[in-house]
Amino acid sequence: TVAELISARQHGPVEATLVGQLSTIGGSANGSHSRLSDGTGSVELRILPGAPRFGESPTGTYEVDVIADQQTEPERSVDEFRGDHLDVSRMAQSGLFNEAMEMARDMVMRGLGEHITGHAPIRGTAVRPVR
């Protein structure tokens, strides 16, 4: 389960298969950022480019093979990045370009820019639909 994965990765790297609702947050040539929830919790992960994906699930439920690095610091949420990103967009659309640039620089300095480049220490290596 997600809860078991979160607990186990406090002590070292973990390989596991999770089953749950998978939603894509965003993607690029470096893979897609997704969130998997299974009722015991949710985790953000990066589905690696080239990871086998065996079709779509009519229920939104997938079985995902993952490799999770040992967690050494608190996990940052993509929701935190999304909220700041919306603030930057609103500033720029309002003509506050200098303020938007400054906030964007601050985001990168705080490490939130890593969401764009794939910071997620949990990597999906294969995705299978549950029918």
Side-chain angles (χ1 to χ4, degrees), residues 102-123:
E102 185 175 327
M103 185 172 187
R105 269 193 300 272
D106 288 345
M107 288 170 59
V108 172
M109 294 303 290
R110 287 196 331 260
L112 294 174
E114 292 178 5
H115 282 288
I116 298 169
T117 58
H119 86 283
I122 302 174
R123 297 172 303 282

Side-chain angles (χ1 to χ4, degrees), residues 4-15:
E4 292 169 325
L5 175 76
I6 290 170
S7 176
R9 66 190 290 243
Q10 303 295 319
H11 308 290
V14 179
E15 291 187 30

Side-chain angles (χ1 to χ4, degrees), residues 19-119:
V19 177
Q21 295 289 307
L22 186 68
S23 56
T24 299
I25 298 167
S28 70
N30 294 325
S32 64
H33 290 274
S34 300
R35 176 173 287 151
L36 185 127
S37 302
D38 73 352
T40 69
S42 66
V43 290
E44 293 171 18
L45 53 105
R46 184 168 67 110
I47 307 295
L48 298 174
R53 189 167 183 118
F54 300 98
E56 297 300 317
S57 168
T59 63
T61 302
Y62 291 86
E63 184 177 77
V64 182
D65 295 335
V66 298
I67 299 172
D69 294 341
Q70 181 174 4
Q71 185 172 351
T72 57
E73 58 186 58
E75 194 74 25
R76 288 184 297 273
S77 169
V78 76
D79 293 331
E80 184 180 356
F81 169 74
R82 184 180 299 126
D84 285 349
H85 183 268
L86 289 172
D87 290 343
V88 169
S89 294
R90 285 187 199 107
M91 285 181 189
Q93 290 171 356
S94 299
L96 302 171
F97 301 114
N98 290 334
E99 292 86 346
M101 291 286 287
E102 185 175 327
M103 185 172 187
R105 269 193 300 272
D106 288 345
M107 288 170 59
V108 172
M109 294 303 290
R110 287 196 331 260
L112 294 174
E114 292 178 5
H115 282 288
I116 298 169
T117 58
H119 86 283

